[in-house]
Amino acid sequence: MTIKVADDAGIAAAADHLRSGHVVAFPTETVYGLGADATQHDAVSKVFSIKGRPAVNPLIVHVADPSWLEELAESDDRITALADTFWPGPLTLVLNRRSDCPISKQVSANLDTIAVRQPDHPIAAALLTAVDRPLAAPSANPSGHVSPTTAKHVETDLGDALDIILDGGPCRAGLESTVLDLTIETARILRPGVIDAVAITKVIGVIDEHESSIGPINSPGQLEKHYAPSLPLKLNADSAHEGEAYIAFGGAQNAAFDLSPSCDLAEAASNLFAALRELDDPTRFKGLAVAPIPAYGIGQAINDRLRRAAKGR
Ligand code: AMP
Ligand code: MG
């Protein structure tokens, strides 16, 4: 395995590797992705097997430009408006596949839908342009683990299975994209993320953001066990008990980690996964206790990930 500097030569080598049907880890503004040429069935199979990802959980397709959508999915005004507003950026759109869509059906877990986004990261953009094909890329971690936000995290998790990891430093956002289902009349958030419901509503009007209404058919990924730490995780904790690591928000005495000393939710989001990785260590602690995180804006996505982590155990 090589961690490659993502200069022109590194990106060219990674693009060659992808076009030859291999898998490459690369940075995006959300988390590191495990990329494969989405048009090559065998390359996509490698992503599922390296991650140990259930075949029923579809992958997000990454494009270099919104114009690439035309070949992949049926279009409508909402899609154009959302792509115009939020792309490149952390909003994934679940769309109806075109009947002649060139993407492997495996990417869609055999559904008639396809999830697409244009990442907002110079290395991801340069890589997509060099490959000149859409890349299927889930987070570069074994299924059920915390998503990676540095190249080192990817190396620790999957280094043995990869030839190339492009290093782009720590991810800016640090949480996965918002997933929005546009295959139904009232668009629905399938996974809360960096872009919140209010921002989406401003562009396309009312949306359905009730998690309880999510059915397994529309969102197979919701079945996946997510982010399960090995230590017990306590939410909304004002302090830690003896032996627990306290993850603070906005300062606390004896905190093991402060997600954001200045109560900045974006900073807290970008630190969350690194904090979980660092502190989920049974040789140092008996459990994890996390401070209450305000449930607005990206705070909703932070609370979503924390709830899943607590439930996943
Ligand atoms: P990940 O790639 O690990 O960030 O996860 C991608 C998320 O997008 C999962 O929750 C998937 O279930 C969801 N997703 C991808 N494709 C589709 C699709 N066609 N329909 C519904 N959800 C999808
Ligand atoms: Mg993932």
Side-chain angles (χ1 to χ4, degrees):
M1 177 272 326
T2 337
I3 292 196
K4 273 206 187 299
V5 180
D7 56 9
D8 289 351
I11 288 169
D16 276 351
H17 210 51
L18 286 162
R19 291 183 70 97
S20 308
H22 300 292
V23 169
V24 165
F26 65 96
T28 77
E29 81 279 29
T30 59
V31 301
Y32 274 71
L34 188 63
D37 177 346
T39 65
Q40 294 188 47
H41 178 87
D42 290 349
V44 172
S45 293
K46 289 179 191 164
V47 171
F48 280 93
S49 72
I50 290 172
K51 275 185 68 82
R53 182 157 170 128
V56 294
N57 191 0
L59 309 180
I60 295 172
V61 174
H62 294 70
V63 296
D65 189 273
S67 65
W68 289 20
L69 262 186
E70 286 161 30
E71 253 193 86
L72 309 184
E74 306 292 348
S75 187
D76 71 31
D77 292 348
R78 295 177 305 173
I79 299 166
T80 314
L82 288 166
D84 277 354
T85 309
F86 295 112
W87 285 6
L91 178 65
T92 296
L93 305 178
V94 175
L95 309 171
N96 289 311
R97 281 175 72 111
R98 280 179 62 109
S99 54
D100 57 354
C101 173
I103 303 298
S104 157
K105 276 289 262 185
Q106 215 184 171
V107 168
S108 296
N110 273 320
L111 300 167
D112 293 328
T113 56
I114 186 167
V116 189
R117 84 176 188 100
Q118 181 191 359
D120 184 17
H121 193 292
I123 296 169
L127 184 65
L128 281 158
T129 303
V131 178
D132 199 26
R133 290 184 198 164
L135 294 176
S139 52
N141 55 281
S143 202
H145 286 205
V146 180
S147 295
T149 55
T150 66
K152 191 82 196 152
H153 292 162
V154 182
E155 184 188 22
T156 305
D157 282 358
L158 298 176
D160 290 347
L162 296 176
D163 297 321
I164 299 180
I165 302 170
L166 286 179
D167 190 353
C171 298
R172 190 175 72 234
L175 276 192
E176 300 87 348
S177 60
T178 306
V179 179
L180 183 71
D181 187 355
L182 289 168
T183 64
I184 42 183
E185 205 175 296
T186 305
R188 183 161 71 186
I189 291 187
L190 301 178
R191 175 174 75 185
V194 177
I195 292 176
D196 65 32
V198 175
I200 295 169
T201 303
K202 280 186 189 149
V203 180
I204 57 167
V206 70
I207 62 170
D208 183 351
E209 48 176 317
H210 295 104
E211 241 195 292
S212 58
S213 63
I214 294 171
I217 306 286
N218 286 316
S219 185
Q222 303 290 339
L223 298 171
E224 194 189 14
K225 203 173 150 185
H226 268 291
Y227 322 112
S230 59
L231 290 173
L233 175 64
K234 213 161 64 190
L235 307 183
N236 299 315
D238 291 326
S239 61
H241 288 140
E242 178 79 32
E244 286 177 342
Y246 189 58
I247 303 178
F249 177 74
Q253 274 193 337
N254 304 323
F257 199 112
D258 195 338
L259 292 174
S260 172
S262 63
C263 290
D264 176 341
L265 284 168
E267 182 185 29
S270 73
N271 283 328
L272 177 67
F273 291 155
L276 290 175
R277 279 174 181 267
E278 183 187 316
L279 301 177
D280 185 22
D281 180 353
T283 66
R284 293 169 63 205
F285 303 109
K286 296 201 294 227
L288 305 170
V290 190
I293 309 291
Y296 57 83
I298 198 174
Q300 291 174 306
I302 296 174
N303 281 300
D304 167 78
R305 303 307 187 273
L306 286 171
R307 268 197 308 275
R308 280 175 206 278
K311 217 165 41 183
R313 285 185 27 88

